Amino acid sequence: MRRLFLLHLVFCIAIQFPLYAQQEKPTQRLYLSGKGYQDTETWEFKISDGRNSGTWSTIEVPSVWEQQGFGKYQYGIKFYGKPHPEGIADEVGEYKYKFTVPKGWENQRVKIVFDGSMTDTEVRINGRKAGDKHQGAFYRFQYDISGLLKYGKENLLEVTVSKESENGSVNLAERRADYWNFGGIFRPVFLEVRPAYHIDRTAVKAEADGSFEADVFLGEGATGLRAEAVVTDVAGKKKGVLKGEAVPGSDRIRLSGTFEDVALWTAETPNLYYVDFLLYRGDELLHKVSDRFGFRTIEIHKGDGIYVNGQRVLMKGVNRHSFWPESGRTLNKELNYADVRLIKEMNMNAVRLSHYPPDPEFLDACDELGLYVMDELGGWHGHYDDAVGKKLVREMVTRDLNHPSIIFWSNGNEGGWNTNLDNQFEIWDLQKRPVLHPQQELSGVETMHYRSYGETLEYFRGEEIFMPTEFLHGLYDGGHGAGLFDYWEVMRKHPRSGGGYLWVYADEGIARTDQGGRIDNQGNYAADGIVGPHHEKEGSFYTIKEVWSPVVVLQDEKLPEDFDGVFTLENRYDFTNTNQCTIAWELAAFPAPGDKSAGHKTITGKTIKGPDIAPHAAGELQLKLPSDWKKADVLYLKAQDPQGKELWTWSYTWDKVKDPVMTEQKKEAAVTETAAYYEVSASGTQIRIDRKTGKLLQVRQSGKKIAFGNGPRFIAARRGDRTLDGTVDKEAAKGEDRIYKEIAYEEKLRHIAVEEKNGEVTVTAGYFGPLQQVRWTVKKDGTVQLDYDYEYHGIVELVGVSFDYPEDHMEQIRWLGKGPYRVWQNRLHGTTLDVWENEYNDPVPGESFVYPEFKGYFDQWRWAVFRTSEGEIRLRNANPGSYLGVYTPRDGRDALLYTLPQTGIAVFDVIPAVRNKVNATDLVGPSSQPQWIEGRKKHTLYLEFKTD
């Protein structure tokens, strides 16, 4: 935090550019606050109620006062629909700050600018009102204070901020919502100094055909003024100059012209240009304003699609709040840019700014790095009245309109739109961008939220473009990537699709200053993110990244015997040929279970230029692999974008002749029989098999007990509301769709026998019931081969076998398989084959944020080594198509997603899908459905036990 007695003077404009010389007369900006989180200024402060109230102290500005130790925390939805409820946190904060302005500013125009203040804000300079009270938290507002200042002397700024608005419509639009309600001056405050005759603001329209229009709005109506627009590219090369003169007495100058050979702006190719607007009287330069823009054209072809520069595009989008746990709504440039980079890392191309305009720096990042933006007027379920709403539309649009990344305006959310404001956007927007109503049709785009998979298909049968502005609502580990593949296959193939926006980017968990920094997600309300509060990556992050990769390899993961190095690639970019990308291939070897290392060892590899495949086309990629490539264990193929960033990495294997059993020792296995069990020993390994059940009773290694046993135990389960035919029982109690119940069955041991042969001991058990046969074979080296088969004919959502092992002994898992994140039946994308390592953890969803989770289901596993306090348990899998179960996935305390049967270390053939916050699994597409199984399932496992 800054503690400066003298304020520094910054010559700047709305976004960063090189500093101009004083004679070029740019707008001068003097910050009275800091510029954001971790760059603040200390002001005097007093709050009316709550913590630290009633006395003057200090506060950092900008900030939300709750994070500075003042007032009371308030989550909006608890007072839903009530404009002025009893018991709501309604503190009033009083701010004071002293500052000095130069004597030389006396004949200029000075405005004080607030980038955002929650909520009603009154401003006084030297005891005099700067203007009318401002209502609305997320908007830039300003007052001309030229006549209120003492030039060359000390001035007193006094600001009164009411957390709750006097205007009930503002409260209903901004604060009775499913997010945190804060108070305070949460964005920067600064002075802007312009000459008497000056440019007040500009509006730019630059189209894909090179045409350029700009309105230069003057601070005053005047005669004899002219303006120029000097356009340069990012290298500083001048593209041209446009000139225009003011109509006598007018306060606007229109500039227009056409530029040749312009590089167009898209989310894939965010080409930007600079423009200097120069205001002259005769040959005298009066004022200079600079901005950044892009040439691009946005069109909605009704009944067809959304077009950028003549190309139909799909939004691969996400909803995003302006939020950070330690600072609430107060961000900085670094955090804003980091959000855009992380969104793009998921191969997204679009963002909806839910449910209010963001910091200007976020839009700068979208312009520069490339995202299509839906800029939203506040209005969660309530909406602003006409008078306030018109002012706020003007403030939002005039601040943001020159950003090429903005392709839509949104007039509120889910009923929070005042239709009387729909026509207000085009008044201020020279580009006349489309206006949308999230969750309602407008401008030819239907945006209905949270439709089931079947309902989504029905919406596509309509005439309008369908582009849900919220879908697959996240909660804990549910939603987002779970079901995305099914939805996206429909969306990307349908001729009237506009894509969609997932809910939501990040958990909105606040680090409470009244509770020692505890992250508070308000239970399940704010725990909806693809990433955690501090942007911890959850499993869906990588699922989305793979599903939305703009380059896709169409090849089975297991290569055929006659593979010739040719892959089929599909280019799902809209504007980028894959020859602008690179492909890195790598042949690698995996460590063995006993090597105690993770990852892989590279044998050879190469990075090559991508093949010449046009957008929306497919073609071939030819790899020149060495003749002995099959000696490797895996072939990795990584697609990289034109900037060298990973799009996705695929892994491929092939049949290799390998004996999974270790070299045997000479000493033969031995068996001892009692009335209760068989005890088989070999090379220090000793196991007991229960003669009444055929199950594993006990394991000892080198004389030390390892508490692994009670298996293999057959387990099958389905949802509590699921009928025997797989349909949903409409008479089931509420919540049964979230509870997976074990299927009851009868099991009887029919026979059990022991056999000694070739130095090995085999115990075979036969059953009546789903479990048909279990055969234990103890080899000379102590390896235990377990062959089992079961048969169940019916509908299941979990089926396999399980063993018990105490969690409090578990320390780590290292495994060869897909990882490092767990999977669900409807979220198999997003993992890669390798040797992974996870330390034991047990996070509570929505409360602790440790990823990847230790518990869950893991795909395509070959072997696993569990390190425990007792020693190592090693499992090798002869059936790679099965899933490794590691205990039971944990849901949040409210169990809103699932309650699953308690399992230990397990092998499953079917694992459950996971629902989202809105839709149960049967509503989320084909990959989320229960499975009909029949016939005998046969499996072979190899178990080894090691102790120190």
Side-chain angles (χ1 to χ4, degrees):
M1 296 181 183
R2 293 184 295 128
R3 297 292 190 274
L4 300 180
F5 179 73
L6 294 176
L7 294 172
H8 62 286
L9 187 63
V10 180
F11 294 91
C12 63
I13 52 178
I15 50 181
Q16 277 196 328
F17 293 106
L19 296 178
Y20 292 103
Q22 178 69 24
Q23 62 267 26
E24 292 187 308
K25 298 185 179 180
T27 300
Q28 302 175 55
R29 181 176 290 184
L30 175 66
Y31 278 89
L32 304 182
S33 71
K35 296 181 181 179
Y37 175 51
Q38 297 180 325
D39 176 10
T40 58
E41 192 67 31
T42 304
W43 291 19
E44 294 179 75
F45 184 69
K46 183 174 74 171
I47 196 167
S48 62
D49 299 290
R51 293 175 296 152
N52 296 312
S53 60
T55 58
W56 282 97
S57 57
T58 59
I59 193 170
E60 298 304 308
V61 181
S63 69
V64 297
W65 60 52
E66 292 84 356
Q67 294 309 92
Q68 295 290 309
F70 296 98
K72 179 183 177 181
Y73 285 95
Q74 184 73 69
Y75 200 83
I77 203 168
K78 294 183 178 180
F79 295 92
Y80 178 76
K82 301 174 182 179
H84 301 291
E86 291 290 331
I88 200 162
D90 58 355
E91 311 99 58
V92 175
E94 298 177 67
Y95 295 82
K96 291 182 182 179
Y97 187 71
K98 295 177 181 178
F99 63 97
T100 302
V101 296
K103 182 71 172 174
W105 287 5
E106 194 161 10
N107 296 317
Q108 301 194 67
R109 300 291 292 275
V110 183
K111 291 184 178 180
I112 187 168
V113 183
F114 290 76
D115 257 348
S117 179
M118 283 189 243
T119 299
D120 286 2
T121 305
E122 300 173 273
V123 180
R124 287 178 170 80
I125 302 292
N126 297 321
R128 299 165 62 189
K129 287 182 63 174
D132 293 337
K133 178 189 300 181
H134 186 269
Q135 296 178 323
F138 301 96
Y139 308 87
R140 175 178 288 179
F141 61 97
Q142 55 194 349
Y143 302 102
D144 189 331
I145 60 172
S146 306
L148 304 179
L149 291 171
K150 299 175 184 178
Y151 296 94
K153 297 181 181 180
E154 186 175 78
N155 295 269
L156 176 63
L157 168 64
E158 297 173 285
V159 185
T160 301
V161 179
S162 300
K163 190 171 180 177
E164 286 286 300
S165 179
E166 289 180 348
N167 186 315
S169 78
V170 173
N171 293 330
L172 291 174
E174 295 183 357
R175 304 187 68 79
R176 307 300 178 257
D178 189 5
Y179 47 78
W180 287 102
N181 295 162
F182 299 107
I185 302 171
F186 71 102
R187 288 178 180 164
V189 182
F190 49 89
L191 302 180
E192 283 194 339
V193 187
R194 298 177 176 88
Y197 289 101
H198 62 271
I199 298 170
D200 183 59
R201 62 182 180 88
T202 62
V204 171
K205 179 182 180 183
E207 296 289 309
D209 61 2
S211 62
F212 179 96
E213 292 180 56
D215 283 335
V216 179
F217 292 92
L218 309 179
E220 300 285 344
T223 300
L225 300 182
R226 63 182 180 88
E228 294 182 0
V230 181
V231 175
T232 57
D233 62 21
V234 291
K237 182 179 179 181
K238 186 183 292 187
K239 290 293 292 182
V241 180
L242 303 178
K243 300 180 180 181
E245 295 184 0
V247 174
S250 176
D251 66 347
R252 183 181 67 171
I253 301 174
R254 169 63 65 86
L255 304 173
S256 63
T258 301
F259 296 92
E260 302 295 331
D261 300 320
V262 294
L264 302 185
W265 189 96
T266 71
E268 294 174 22
T269 60
N271 297 303
L272 293 170
Y273 288 85
Y274 297 119
V275 56
D276 292 336
F277 291 102
L278 308 174
L279 181 66
Y280 290 92
R281 173 181 281 138
D283 293 330
E284 179 189 4
L285 175 62
L286 301 176
H287 190 206
K288 179 177 182 176
V289 170
S290 299
D291 209 340
R292 195 167 63 171
F293 71 97
F295 287 94
R296 58 101 181 94
T297 298
I298 308 301
E299 300 171 294
I300 292 179
H301 295 181
K302 292 192 175 183
D304 182 1
I306 298 160
Y307 284 75
V308 176
N309 304 335
Q311 171 64 57
R312 182 170 171 262
V313 298
L314 300 179
M315 301 300 117
K316 297 186 290 185
V318 70
N319 288 265
R320 181 254 187 189
H321 273 292
S322 298
F323 191 83
W324 189 246
E326 282 68 39
S327 57
R329 303 266 179 251
T330 301
L331 303 181
N332 55 28
K333 181 178 179 180
E334 180 183 8
L335 289 172
N336 279 298
Y337 271 73
D339 277 3
V340 174
R341 291 189 184 98
L342 203 57
I343 290 169
K344 287 187 69 69
E345 189 180 334
M346 287 184 276
N347 289 319
M348 295 178 172
N349 65 3
V351 61
R352 175 187 171 212
L353 302 175
S354 51
H355 298 288
Y356 41 80
D359 296 340
E361 291 84 1
F362 183 82
L363 297 174
D364 293 341
C366 293
D367 293 343
E368 183 180 324
L369 303 176
L371 281 178
Y372 300 120
V373 174
M374 184 184 301
D375 201 357
E376 186 156 298
L377 186 74
W380 190 63
H381 287 179
H383 60 75
Y384 301 116
D385 63 32
D386 288 2
V388 169
K390 288 179 180 179
K391 293 176 184 177
L392 299 181
V393 170
R394 176 181 180 177
E395 289 171 356
M396 180 176 82
V397 175
T398 56
R399 189 198 73 168
D400 295 346
L401 61 87
N402 289 344
H403 289 280
S405 57
I406 298 173
I407 65 171
F408 303 116
W409 303 115
S410 164
N411 180 11
N413 167 70
E414 293 182 355
W417 49 75
N418 179 347
T419 56
N420 293 334
L421 303 179
D422 287 342
N423 64 359
Q424 294 296 302
F425 293 84
E426 67 178 15
I427 294 173
W428 308 106
D429 182 16
L430 182 62
Q431 298 180 33
K432 313 301 182 192
R433 294 172 177 88
V435 178
L436 302 182
H437 284 175
Q439 199 174 267
Q440 189 184 66
E441 187 277 325
L442 189 67
S443 303
V445 182
E446 173 60 70
T447 58
M448 192 66 182
H449 293 172
Y450 304 122
R451 298 304 88 190
S452 71
Y453 180 82
E455 290 170 333
T456 297
L457 297 176
E458 185 68 19
Y459 269 83
F460 277 126
R461 296 183 185 103
E463 295 181 351
E464 294 86 7
I465 299 163
F466 184 46
M467 182 187 72
T469 39
E470 295 177 26
F471 76 114
L472 292 176
H473 196 307
L475 175 64
Y476 309 144
D477 199 34
H480 302 138
L484 178 61
F485 178 80
D486 290 341
Y487 273 75
W488 191 246
E489 284 300 285
V490 172
M491 289 176 169
R492 74 180 184 87
K493 294 175 182 178
H494 200 281
R496 286 187 299 281
S497 175
Y501 298 79
L502 296 168
W503 184 271
V504 62
Y505 168 58
D507 284 3
E508 208 180 356
I510 193 71
R512 293 189 61 145
T513 57
D514 61 344
Q515 296 180 5
R518 178 181 75 87
I519 298 295
D520 186 357
N521 263 321
Q522 283 289 286
N524 66 72
Y525 283 116
D528 300 340
I530 301 167
V531 296
H534 289 104
H535 298 175
E536 303 91 343
K537 295 176 182 177
E538 302 180 18
S540 277
F541 183 96
Y542 294 98
T543 305
I544 296 162
K545 183 179 178 70
E546 181 178 1
V547 173
W548 277 351
S549 174
V551 175
V552 176
V553 182
L554 303 177
Q555 174 68 49
D556 290 341
E557 292 179 333
K558 186 175 180 180
L559 298 179
E561 182 69 26
D562 59 350
F563 179 67
D564 58 0
V566 176
F567 289 91
T568 299
L569 263 61
E570 187 171 277
N571 183 358
R572 296 181 184 175
Y573 275 116
D574 296 315
F575 302 96
T576 304
N577 191 302
T578 52
N579 61 18
Q580 298 173 251
C581 301
T582 53
I583 306 293
W585 63 265
E586 176 187 8
L587 287 168
F590 294 127
D595 290 344
K596 298 187 182 299
S597 60
H600 58 266
K601 182 179 180 180
T602 300
I603 298 172
T604 188
K606 191 175 183 180
T607 298
I608 60 176
K609 183 179 179 180
D612 181 6
I613 305 174
H616 301 171
E620 290 187 347
L621 169 70
Q622 175 70 64
L623 299 187
K624 296 181 180 179
L625 300 174
S627 58
D628 61 349
W629 65 271
K630 286 188 178 180
K631 292 182 179 179
D633 293 325
V634 65
L635 170 63
Y636 291 114
L637 206 59
K638 178 167 68 175
Q640 299 171 134
D641 72 9
Q643 290 73 44
K645 294 183 176 63
E646 181 199 45
L647 297 171
W648 188 248
T649 298
W650 295 265
S651 53
Y652 299 95
T653 58
W654 44 90
D655 285 331
K656 297 189 70 175
V657 179
K658 265 190 177 181
D659 183 358
V661 182
M662 292 183 176
T663 304
E664 297 182 359
Q665 304 299 316
K666 293 182 179 180
K667 188 175 181 180
E668 294 185 352
V671 61
T672 301
E673 298 184 36
T674 73
Y677 55 79
Y678 296 109
E679 185 173 273
V680 186
S681 302
S683 298
T685 300
Q686 182 187 82
I687 67 169
R688 288 182 180 178
I689 308 298
D690 191 325
R691 296 186 67 167
K692 294 181 180 179
T693 66
K695 305 293 194 294
L696 182 65
L697 271 178
Q698 178 182 290
V699 174
R700 300 186 78 86
Q701 179 64 42
S702 303
K704 297 179 181 179
K705 181 181 177 181
I706 297 179
F708 179 84
N710 192 26
R713 187 174 69 257
F714 177 78
I715 288 181
R718 53 180 169 252
R719 264 174 36 183
D721 65 340
R722 189 77 67 198
T723 69
L724 294 175
D725 296 300
T727 59
V728 174
D729 180 1
K730 295 182 180 180
E731 303 300 319
K734 183 179 180 180
E736 289 288 287
D737 60 319
R738 307 168 196 265
I739 300 173
Y740 291 76
K741 296 182 178 181
E742 284 195 53
I743 298 170
Y745 61 89
E746 184 180 0
E747 180 179 285
K748 292 182 180 179
L749 181 68
R750 283 180 163 170
H751 59 79
I752 189 167
V754 64
E755 179 184 18
E756 297 180 76
K757 185 177 181 181
N758 299 326
E760 301 175 349
V761 174
T762 301
V763 178
T764 304
Y767 299 89
F768 169 82
L771 193 63
Q772 298 285 296
Q773 180 174 276
V774 173
R775 184 168 65 250
W776 301 91
T777 301
V778 181
K779 300 180 178 296
K780 294 179 181 181
D781 65 353
T783 299
V784 179
Q785 178 178 331
L786 170 62
D787 299 286
Y788 67 90
D789 54 83
Y790 66 84
E791 185 171 3
Y792 183 85
H793 192 176
I795 200 84
V796 296
E797 287 164 284
L798 180 72
V799 70
V801 301
S802 180
F803 292 86
D804 291 344
Y805 187 78
E807 274 193 55
D808 57 3
H809 294 349
M810 186 61 69
E811 295 177 353
Q812 183 199 70
I813 179 176
R814 182 166 46 87
W815 80 103
L816 171 56
K818 285 201 163 184
Y821 286 82
R822 67 192 185 192
V823 298
W824 300 93
Q825 181 181 280
N826 57 353
R827 200 187 75 189
L828 297 179
H829 294 82
T831 54
T832 304
L833 185 68
D834 208 336
V835 176
W836 302 101
E837 191 173 77
N838 285 347
E839 299 297 319
Y840 177 81
N841 60 56
D842 191 22
V844 181
E847 298 179 21
S848 47
F849 309 94
V850 182
Y851 303 100
E853 299 94 338
F854 186 84
K855 301 177 183 180
Y857 311 114
F858 297 87
D859 192 16
Q860 298 294 324
W861 73 288
R862 312 298 176 86
W863 53 258
V865 177
F866 294 92
R867 191 188 74 206
T868 79
S869 60
E870 298 177 322
E872 286 187 351
I873 303 168
R874 299 181 183 180
L875 277 69
R876 285 179 285 130
N877 181 21
N879 309 91
S882 60
Y883 302 94
L884 176 65
V886 182
Y887 298 115
T888 302
R890 185 169 185 172
D891 196 12
R893 294 185 190 277
D894 43 20
L896 289 178
L897 294 179
Y898 50 78
T899 299
L900 294 160
Q902 292 299 305
T903 53
I905 297 174
V907 178
F908 293 112
D909 289 303
V910 176
I911 58 173
V914 64
R915 62 169 292 144
N916 58 59
K917 197 170 191 176
V918 176
N919 301 118
T921 53
D922 53 299
L923 304 177
V924 195
S927 67
S928 303
Q929 302 308 307
Q931 301 295 305
W932 280 100
I933 63 168
E934 61 178 317
R936 185 165 289 199
K937 308 292 183 184
K938 296 185 177 183
H939 288 271
T940 299
L941 300 175
Y942 297 90
L943 293 83
E944 299 172 64
F945 305 95
K946 303 293 179 182
T947 57
D948 295 334

